[in-house]
Amino acid sequence: DLPVPNVGHFAIEILYRLAFCGADKVPLALFLHNWPPSFDQNSMGDQESVWGAVELLRRYSMITVQEDRYISVHRLFQRIVRAHARGQELKYISSLREMMSPYIVPGKADNPVPDSGAPLPFVDPDQRLFIAHALQLAKYTFEYQGPLLRFLHQNRNIAPFVQGLVDFHAGAWALLCQHEFYQDALELAISSAALYALGPSPLLGPGSEAALAMRFRTGRTYTKQHFCYKTHDEYRDAYELALQHLGADHELTLDLMCHLAWILSQPCLNERGQARVFYQQCYDRALSVLGPLHRITVLAKAGIGSVESLDDRHSQALAELQDVITFDLLLDDILDDESYRIVFRSEEHTSELQSHHD
């Protein structure tokens, strides 16, 4: 008695995608608004079809519907459906990732999450649910990486697919950090970097920008967990690979150099001499390649001043830090939490050093 054509087929398609979500309830908006372009829009995808399919699944007790807003499916039933999807896992994982991207990837839809992972006010009340489902989907991506890698190695035009995958993982990492789920963020970054390292070059591979950017995020997550030596090792390894594969003037190489200098200057390592050299090299290259107002140039300049102040070279430090504090670019939109530590410490040192100077 359901007037929607092909509702049974549509219900199965929803069920297969639910099988790769987490065990939490799933916002119905995921299916109401975000069927990917590759999906058959002629026979399904409109809201009438969604409601018809949801009602059919509910009648057969395959799902429960809460408040006409959420869908829940039993974890054991998800496992059974995944077993029936054997051989097509990549299809459903990729489709679900496309559907979930507007809630995860920065710059898509109304998602306010910055790539830095810096804390922001929570806007979408369902976004925590999407975080959980994005994390679970990422885990399935790593679990079924065999078919994924075969697909990547056997196809030529993989650039859009790879970009979507990389953006999704980066967005999920930022959301996890935003809500201080650092262990989950760390596991996601490590697994993503390992997966990208196995992919075909030049888009992927151990020296690719995608793999090194995720290793950069791994180091930043170690920082959030106060793992000084692991942060240093990750930054140094990633920097050396970036220098070899991307070149000394690449933005990611310079960003890694700046962060490597920062961790070297910390009390746990206390390698301020080496940090000063890296900061100066980073500043000189960034000034030449990126310009005086670029985030990395400003941070390297702040880093030089911070190291000078720690070494009690007050006049030199004051000159460096006063230049930095005059920039109007030291705002939320260009700084991550590590950058704030550099700049805020620089501002504090500027005030203290001015007293010494006077």
Side-chain angles (χ1 to χ4, degrees), residues 84-236:
H84 279 276
R86 187 167 295 140
Q88 300 187 77
E89 296 94 345
L90 181 59
K91 167 189 171 182
Y92 294 116
I93 290 172
S94 301
S95 173
L96 188 58
R97 188 182 66 250
E98 286 184 64
M99 296 166 67
M100 211 177 292
S101 286
Y103 303 96
I104 301 298
V105 178
K108 287 201 173 187
D110 297 320
N111 186 3
V113 181
D115 181 62
S116 66
L120 279 180
F122 217 45
V123 176
D124 185 349
D126 292 339
Q127 200 173 50
R128 286 184 182 271
L129 294 173
F130 283 116
I131 294 173
H133 295 304
L135 180 61
Q136 186 60 61
L137 185 60
K139 289 179 178 178
Y140 284 131
T141 302
F142 308 138
E143 181 179 341
Y144 296 104
Q145 71 174 22
L148 173 60
L149 290 172
R150 282 195 296 273
F151 168 80
L152 294 174
H153 282 282
Q154 291 172 3
N155 290 273
R156 291 185 177 181
N157 186 26
I158 60 171
F161 182 92
V162 169
Q163 191 61 56
L165 183 70
V166 170
D167 288 346
F168 186 83
H169 288 162
W173 175 86
L175 281 169
L176 289 166
C177 290
Q178 176 190 334
H179 297 285
E180 300 183 352
F181 300 140
Y182 295 136
Q183 188 58 39
D184 288 328
L186 180 62
E187 292 174 4
L188 174 65
I190 291 174
S191 298
S192 298
L195 174 64
Y196 301 162
L198 296 174
S201 61
L203 293 175
L204 296 172
S208 65
E209 185 175 352
L212 293 173
M214 197 54 76
R215 291 199 64 177
F216 186 18
R217 294 185 179 93
T218 301
R220 289 162 65 183
T221 316
Y222 280 136
T223 301
K224 296 171 191 297
Q225 295 181 301
H226 309 291
F227 293 152
C228 179
Y229 293 101
K230 289 184 177 180
T231 300
H232 168 266
D233 292 347
E234 197 68 31
Y235 282 163
R236 185 172 288 278

Side-chain angles (χ1 to χ4, degrees), residues 236-313:
R236 185 172 288 278
D237 289 349
Y239 167 68
E240 290 174 354
L241 281 171
L243 195 61
Q244 177 185 350
H245 292 277
L246 303 180
D249 293 338
H250 195 281
E251 185 173 337
L252 179 57
T253 306
L254 294 172
D255 220 353
L256 283 163
M257 181 190 286
C258 189
H259 282 74
L260 176 58
W262 175 81
I263 194 63
L264 286 168
S265 71
Q266 297 304 296
C268 58
L269 294 176
N270 201 29
E271 296 284 350
R272 293 200 296 271
Q274 194 175 0
R276 175 69 168 79
V277 171
F278 274 121
Y279 270 136
Q280 188 64 58
Q281 291 177 355
C282 181
Y283 175 73
D284 292 341
R285 287 190 176 277
L287 182 64
S288 173
V289 177
L290 304 175
L293 301 183
H294 192 277
R295 171 182 60 87
I296 298 174
T297 311
V298 174
L299 293 181
K301 186 78 166 175
I304 294 170
S306 295
V307 173
E308 296 282 14
S309 67
L310 290 171
D311 287 339
D312 294 327
R313 290 193 284 268

